[in-house]
Amino acid sequence: MSKRKDWKVETEIAQALGWLENSYKGVVPAIYPSTTFERSEDGSYPNGRTYSRDHNPTFDQAEQLLTRLEGGTESLLFSSGMSAALAVFQALEPGDHVIAPKVMYWSLRNWLLTKGAKWGIETSFVENGNEAALKAVVRPGKTRLLWLETPANTTWVQDDISAWADVAHGCGAKLAVDNTVATPLITRPIAHGADIVMHSATKYLNGHSDVLAGTLTTAGSGAFWQEIRQNRASGGAVMGPMEAWLLLRGMRTLSVRVKQASHNAMAIATHFENHPGIREVLYPGLASSAQYNLAQKQMTGGFGGMLSICPMGGESVAMKVAANMKLFKRATSLGGVESLVEHRASIEGEGTPCPPDLLRLSVGLEDKDDLIEDIEQALSAVQE
Ligand SMILES: Cc1ncc(COP(=O)(O)O)c(C=O)c1O
């Protein structure tokens, strides 16, 4: 486990911190399927492990690699992105006030509107990218958590993490950031003042559309974080050891995958920006975007693999364009090696802030020209 202190992040990722497996010096870690661990004669647990609902040794390497990538002090793996997010909200008290952006992962927004509200957590949803709107809804003494997702799924509008951190800390609240879309290769929210970073590790961290996983990373270790740790241990929303092992395997190629996906997404965004068949391209990396300065401030080394296109002609045309695609698969989710297209408004349903003509693209690792050609032929086929 010894290593130089100055490895670059790409090296840490490829080597998964350079750890060797304990028994045989394997360069790949072992999987620990045991759910329970023996106590010593004196009643202690010599290796600090008791039962897998609390923790499993297979989690260690992925958790520590993620802590390094996010620049935090500790990370926890969860069974899904949603269970990771809910462990944060369940650390609140009934009557606590939360602030979140209007455009955010729809399932979590729905949870806040329904279950969260039922359990006494009141959420104010503010317009994305509007700091004045954010400041206007703060309730001193009541607001305990600001939840931010930037760029926001599905319009990729950004918010300034450091401005949100200032507002949160000014009223004694915590700031949690869903960093699923940007990944720590591009944005490290803790460096901008966030207290907690969340990932749906089902997406880029795993990267192969074959593991459901979530993570939390903390900047500190205070009472709020201890409550979250307790929520995982008692609620049991942990990963299985096999999945945790697969997650680490996926994470070891994160930097090359994020670079290639960003490169492809930029090529697609640039190609279709002024295309006669497209009303609008939504992508943080476009220099013409109103938020380009902010993107440059808090996104480095690329702008990610997620973008949206709005074809000319409205919702029915957008549905046909998606139907005509041959290379992009019509499926939900994001961050895998294969490119996906999704008509989001029809998935999100009533009350969605998503424009009805929007097609969300999760750009994968294929050749960029093949991807552009697929969108071109799908647009042309609508005209025929
Ligand atoms: C931005 C974002 N956050 C959270 C989640 C929830 O993650 P999971 O599906 O792993 O529960 C998703 C899932 O699509 C997501 O896109």
Side-chain angles (χ1 to χ4, degrees), residues 79-85 104-108 147 149 151-153 156 178-181 198-203 211-214 332-334 344 360:
S79 55
S80 69
M82 277 300 282
S83 61
M104 62 181 284
Y105 176 56
W106 71 286
S107 207
L108 184 54
W147 182 273
E149 185 182 314
N153 193 355
W156 321 115
D178 181 340
N179 198 30
T180 300
V181 167
M198 174 257 164
H199 282 273
S200 166
T202 314
K203 319 300 181 194
V211 170
L212 200 65
T332 198
S333 201
L334 56 102
R344 283 299 296 181
R360 185 181 80 177

Side-chain angles (χ1 to χ4, degrees), residues 85-93 96 121 144 223-229 231:
L86 296 201
V88 178
F89 291 105
Q90 285 162 2
L92 297 172
E93 300 292 328
D96 282 348
I121 299 169
R144 279 202 67 211
F224 193 65
W225 179 250
Q226 296 313 322
E227 186 79 20
I228 290 169
R229 289 177 111 256
N231 286 343

Side-chain angles (χ1 to χ4, degrees), residues 41-240:
E41 289 85 346
D42 65 2
S44 67
Y45 287 97
N47 293 315
R49 310 295 164 145
T50 53
Y51 187 54
S52 269
R53 197 187 66 220
D54 185 7
H55 199 271
N56 179 289
T58 321
F59 303 167
D60 292 356
Q61 204 165 347
E63 288 182 342
Q64 291 194 30
L65 176 57
L66 187 63
T67 302
R68 161 79 175 94
L69 297 183
E70 290 290 2
T73 58
E74 188 183 359
S75 299
L76 294 173
L77 301 188
F78 287 81
S79 55
S80 69
M82 277 300 282
S83 61
L86 296 201
V88 178
F89 291 105
Q90 285 162 2
L92 297 172
E93 300 292 328
D96 282 348
H97 176 237
V98 170
I99 305 175
K102 273 188 184 149
V103 178
M104 62 181 284
Y105 176 56
W106 71 286
S107 207
L108 184 54
R109 189 190 67 218
N110 284 352
W111 186 90
L112 287 166
L113 283 165
T114 54
K115 308 282 184 210
K118 197 162 113 186
W119 292 350
I121 299 169
E122 199 189 333
T123 307
S124 298
F125 293 93
V126 295
E127 195 189 332
N128 300 63
N130 185 339
E131 275 166 43
L134 166 65
K135 287 177 185 156
V137 297
V138 168
R139 295 185 204 160
K142 290 284 267 180
T143 305
R144 279 202 67 211
L145 179 71
L146 272 60
W147 182 273
L148 178 59
E149 185 182 314
T150 183
N153 193 355
T154 55
T155 56
W156 321 115
V157 178
Q158 296 158 84
D159 271 280
D160 188 329
I161 299 170
S162 55
W164 275 59
D166 286 347
V167 173
H169 301 152
C171 69
K174 301 282 184 204
L175 173 63
V177 177
D178 181 340
N179 198 30
T180 300
V181 167
T183 82
L185 265 305
I186 292 176
T187 301
R188 301 170 99 204
I190 289 172
H192 297 278
D195 301 289
I196 291 171
V197 180
M198 174 257 164
H199 282 273
S200 166
T202 314
K203 319 300 181 194
Y204 288 101
L205 292 185
N206 177 65
H208 293 78
S209 308
D210 55 8
V211 170
L212 200 65
T215 67
L216 294 175
T217 302
T218 183
S221 58
F224 193 65
W225 179 250
Q226 296 313 322
E227 186 79 20
I228 290 169
R229 289 177 111 256
Q230 192 54 40
N231 286 343
R232 188 183 75 164
S234 56
V238 286
M239 297 189 76

